[in-house]
Structures are given as C-alpha cells and as structure tokens.
Amino acid sequence: MTDDTIRAIAESFESAREVLVFAGSGLSAESGVPTFRGEDGLFSDEAIVELARAGILEREPKRALEWYEKGRRRIREVEPNPGHYALARLSQTADYTVATQNVDGLLERAADAESVELPVHHLHGSLDRICCRECGAEADASLDLSEMPTCEACGGLLRPDIVLFGELLPDEAFDASARAAASADVCLLLGTSGLVYPAAGLPERAAEAGAELIEINPNPTELSERCDTIVRGKTGETLPAIEAEMPSS
Ligand code: NAD
Ligand code: ZN
C-alpha cells in the first residue's frame, strides 16, 4: 500500500456524508476465523463446501449441526482485530451503514468495546442466533446444536440462523443495505471475494448511484475492476493506517 493511496482514501472518508461498508470474511481473517476462499480457505475442502449448501440440514443434520456448533464455539473464543476496531471508530466520522456477509458478530463486539452505535445488516444471518428449521421461531442461543435440540413451539429441529448457499437472504437486511447503496458517497469493500450473489450486487448498485468504490483486499477480486481505488493489503493493517491519516485523529 502506498501512503498516497491511504491519504486519498482518508480524504474521501473525510468528505463523505454516507458510507456503505460491504464486508466479507477477510475482515475477520486476522482474528483467526478462516475465510471460505483464498489462501487457507475452508473451500479447499469439498466436504466443507457441502456443509455450506442448502439441503445439508435435511440430508445430514447430525454432521452439519456438529460442524456449526464447532464454528459457534470458535467465534466465541476469538477476538475482534485492529481492522474491526478501526472501522468502528471511523464510523463516527460520517453516516455509516455496514452490509456484512459475516456471521461472526466480531464487528459488533468491536463497536460495543468502542461504545459506538453502528448499524450492521447481516445479509447471511448470525451464527450466534438459532432458530427453528420448520417454523422459524427464534430459540435460546445458548443451546448446544450438536445435541440436536428441538423447537418448543412445533418440535422441529433447530438450526443456526444463517443463510446457506441456495437459501434466500433476509429481506429486511438486504433492503436496508440496498437503500444505503443507493445513497452512499463511498462504498468500501472489505475482505470479500465478490462472488456470492445477490450480496455482491450491492457495490454495483452503489457505483451506479455515483458512489466511489474502494477495495481493501490482499488479492484481486471479481469486483476489483469496478473499483476506483484499491489497496492490496490486509484490513487489520490498512484500516488503522487510514484512521491515522484522518485529520480528526
Ligand atoms: P470469501 O471467503 O469468498 O473471500 C475471502 C476474501 O477475503 C478473499 O478475497 C481474500 O483475498 C480476502 N482476505 C483474506 N484475508 C484478508 C485480510 N486479512 N484482509 C482483507 N481481505 C482478506 O469471503 P466472502 O466474500 O465473505 O464470501 C463467502 C461467504 O462466506 C459469505 O457468504 C459469508 O457468509 C461466509 N463466511 C463468513 C465467515 C465469517 O463470518 N467470518 C467466515 C467464512 C465464510
Ligand atoms: Zn418451530
């Protein structure tokens, strides 16, 4: 990353009224949460690809729920990284909306620690919530999914409240993110491969509505060509560097 690019991004943030952050699993990589794609990505294992697809909870509930319960434990053990904290603090400089594909809750934990109110829309749900596979009722999040608990209301099997590949996105989160895309001055793409639709269509909407697209990712992505400014770096290093360039810091 060059200092000039970092300074230019800080200037864009400084003059922006509305910022849409489009976040992916790379934002949490430096917390020790593996991504799906990229180096050491979980998707190098075909069995894990299968666990992320719609239908797995019906076909192999025991194996899937054990895997997701392991993921739930893992995210409780890890901590937000410097990228999460810097983003939480930066969000005080303009009207920020976060549309995240992450299911880990780490950004909210950083925002809480910084005493910051940050609207985060979960396009792909949250691992820390569980719900009924049959009736959708929310259930006690402290239940152990690997024990295959059932719904108090209808007896259906409980599941993590996340969106598997092939399932529909929650309308509310997507609509709120699409509205933010339509009015953002800046759209910040953090640690996302841009391959998962319809979520990955949000930066395109923002660009069409006139937003500057800024990508922070160590690797080229499907959305790179569309971006106005690119930093080939890690979010855990780049976001604190941008924050340090903000005149207010
Ligand atoms: P992805 O796994 O497809 O791609 C990860 C991206 O992060 C890659 O482009 C990679 O170059 C980049 N990256 C890796 N380390 C980085 C770093 N330190 N800083 C910045 N970027 C870095 O991720 P995706 O685009 O979010 O899409 C995959 C799906 O995976 C999403 O639907 C999401 O729900 C799910 N997922 C979420 C988590 C999580 O919640 N932490 C983890 C794995 C997968
Ligand atoms: Zn139920």
Side-chain angles (χ1 to χ4, degrees):
M1 78 180 114
T2 69
D3 292 348
D4 283 351
T5 311
I6 297 296
R7 266 194 294 277
I9 296 174
E11 273 166 28
S12 291
F13 281 4
E14 194 62 23
S15 55
R17 279 172 301 112
E18 290 184 41
V19 177
L20 171 67
V21 177
F22 180 55
S25 62
L27 178 63
S28 297
E30 288 154 274
S31 293
V33 182
T35 60
F36 271 170
R37 299 177 187 80
E39 216 179 314
D40 302 325
L42 293 170
F43 273 13
S44 48
D45 182 344
E46 192 50 43
I48 292 181
V49 180
E50 195 53 33
L51 284 163
R53 283 204 191 108
I56 191 70
L57 292 162
E58 288 71 29
R59 284 195 310 278
E60 292 188 72
K62 180 88 182 135
R63 185 166 78 95
L65 291 173
E66 278 172 359
W67 191 70
Y68 283 112
E69 188 57 34
K70 236 167 74 185
R72 283 158 54 77
R73 285 191 199 131
R74 176 95 191 110
I75 59 167
R76 282 184 212 127
E77 284 161 13
V78 299
E79 297 294 331
N81 67 57
H84 294 115
Y85 289 113
L87 181 59
R89 290 188 300 267
L90 277 166
S91 74
Q92 297 306 278
T93 61
D95 184 357
Y96 270 63
T97 302
V98 180
T100 189
Q101 301 164 88
N102 293 346
V103 294
D104 57 36
L106 287 170
L107 180 58
E108 287 94 324
R109 280 169 56 190
D112 281 351
E114 296 287 344
S115 305
V116 158
E117 289 267 344
L118 178 58
V120 180
H121 301 292
H122 281 268
L123 298 166
H124 295 160
S126 295
L127 260 187
D128 61 8
R129 285 201 311 260
I130 62 183
C131 63
C132 174
R133 199 176 86 176
E134 307 302 331
C135 75
E138 193 169 343
D140 176 2
S142 67
L143 289 169
D144 182 339
L145 283 179
S146 65
E147 289 173 1
M148 304 184 70
T150 51
C151 174
E152 281 185 2
C154 77
L157 203 57
L158 298 179
R159 61 168 283 175
D161 193 0
I162 57 170
V163 177
L164 302 179
F165 288 111
E167 292 180 338
L168 293 175
L169 270 56
D171 282 340
E172 217 172 293
F174 189 81
D175 292 349
S177 303
R179 278 196 301 277
S183 61
D185 306 300
V186 169
C187 177
L188 183 61
L189 284 67
L190 301 177
T192 176
S193 61
L195 284 163
V196 183
Y197 279 83
L202 289 167
E204 182 69 34
R205 288 186 189 219
E208 278 166 8
E212 178 188 2
L213 261 51
I214 301 173
E215 176 174 78
I216 304 176
N217 195 312
N219 303 299
T221 74
E222 287 300 304
L223 300 169
S224 297
E225 273 190 12
R226 203 62 173 92
C227 290
D228 303 288
T229 310
I230 295 175
V231 179
R232 286 278 163 256
K234 298 179 173 183
T235 43
E237 293 166 2
T238 310
L239 289 167
I242 295 168
E243 188 190 12
E245 284 296 330
M246 296 287 283
S248 42
S249 71

